[in-house]
Amino acid sequence: MTDIAQDEKAEVHDQKEADHHPYFRPRDAATLILVDRSGSVPKVLVGKRHDKVVFMPGKFVFPGGRVDKDDYRVPVAAPITTQLETNLAKGSPKTPASRAKSLAIAAIREACEETGLCLGRKSEGKAKLEGAWKPFADAGLLPDPSSLFLIARAITPPGRVKRFDTRFFTADASAITHRVEGVIHADAELVELVWVELGSKPLADLHPMTRNVFNELDTRLATGPLRHDAPVPFFHFYGGKMHKDILS
């Protein structure tokens, strides 16, 4: 949530985001919820934000942020699945394949940047990755979006100074292939990482929209293994109210 949080810092007062701005076009963003199903009760990874940050201080969040231009160009170890591409294309207007890939890749990049946990696969040659992707290159990896599932899509309400069209992905913890040390520390934006069981206290204090998405994930996990053919909810605002539709 790094980029989103930084962009909204100036618009937060008494924990209420300003809602009096003219229309702004939403920017593409992505969030990744990592799930550990090795025990009897599934656990999800959350990070605790620093107490000194302006936006949601001390709150537990899932990693996520804006799509960067490099997310369109970075080489990958495997393509996103056809089923995931189909789900990302749903809605109006249709999302082209290149944009669908960038959304999945952004979720992986943000997770690695904010938590140090990277979803990748060994590449045969030396990966030519720089900037935010350097941890992958150092480990001889290319990002691997093939294990991602789309859980939901949500658009920030009109009237906000920054708006995001966010796709919420999930992946099993077994997809983590590399850990970057030193990302989480006392002076970082995320000061702690915790694997918490579904229904635990940290998950009760999430941002309302994040909680809506998490409830969708909870419902899907209760039915068994994640599937690409499950309905994908779309949370958006019109007529002054939040609506939940199903992408088709």
Side-chain angles (χ1 to χ4, degrees):
M1 198 170 287
T2 304
D3 293 334
I4 297 174
Q6 289 176 346
D7 284 337
E8 293 185 349
K9 277 182 179 179
E11 298 305 317
V12 177
H13 179 68
D14 293 335
Q15 295 189 351
K16 182 181 185 301
E17 300 167 30
D19 57 7
H20 58 276
H21 293 275
Y23 178 83
F24 288 97
R25 183 179 179 180
R27 297 183 179 184
D28 279 336
T31 293
L32 181 59
I33 304 174
L34 292 166
V35 182
D36 180 358
R37 301 192 70 178
S38 61
S40 57
V41 178
K43 296 180 179 180
V44 296
L45 183 69
V46 292
K48 186 176 182 180
R49 288 176 57 76
H50 199 289
D51 288 336
K52 301 299 183 182
V53 298
V54 176
F55 188 70
M56 296 196 294
K59 300 289 186 181
F60 285 93
V61 299
F62 300 110
R66 282 187 316 210
V67 173
D68 288 345
K69 60 182 180 180
D70 288 343
D71 296 332
Y72 283 85
R73 300 190 293 261
V74 64
V76 296
I80 64 174
T81 63
T82 301
Q83 299 97 321
L84 178 58
E85 184 176 313
T86 297
N87 281 338
L88 287 167
K90 291 177 180 178
S92 181
K94 297 296 183 183
T95 300
S98 61
R99 186 178 172 201
K101 173 197 167 186
S102 73
L103 289 160
I105 292 301
I108 290 175
R109 174 181 52 75
E110 287 287 338
C112 187
E113 284 184 325
E114 296 185 7
T115 69
L117 303 177
C118 308
L119 279 63
R121 190 184 301 179
K122 288 291 184 180
S123 59
E124 295 190 7
K126 186 173 182 181
K128 296 181 179 180
L129 303 175
E130 299 177 345
W133 293 104
K134 191 174 184 301
F136 286 82
D138 292 343
L141 301 174
L142 289 176
D144 181 6
S146 63
S147 63
L148 269 58
F149 291 81
L150 182 65
I151 296 300
R153 177 181 179 181
I155 297 182
T156 308
R160 307 294 171 86
V161 68
K162 294 292 183 181
R163 302 182 66 216
F164 297 94
D165 186 350
T166 305
R167 276 66 163 195
F168 293 82
F169 298 91
T170 189
D172 193 88
S174 61
I176 300 168
T177 55
H178 181 61
R179 289 169 168 77
V180 181
E181 301 298 330
V183 173
I184 306 299
H185 54 82
D187 295 321
E189 183 176 344
L190 296 183
V191 299
E192 181 183 4
L193 288 181
V194 185
W195 290 96
V196 293
E197 292 185 351
L198 301 187
S200 61
K201 184 176 179 180
L203 300 178
D205 199 26
L206 297 173
H207 185 280
M209 183 54 71
T210 306
R211 189 163 57 248
N212 286 338
V213 174
F214 177 75
N215 288 339
E216 295 293 331
L217 174 61
D218 191 7
T219 299
R220 288 177 63 172
L221 288 174
T223 64
L226 291 169
R227 308 189 327 269
H228 288 292
D229 60 352
V232 178
F234 175 33
F235 299 96
H236 59 128
F237 291 76
Y238 61 87
K241 296 181 180 179
M242 191 273 285
H243 294 262
K244 172 186 170 183
D245 297 325
I246 299 298
L247 290 175
S248 61

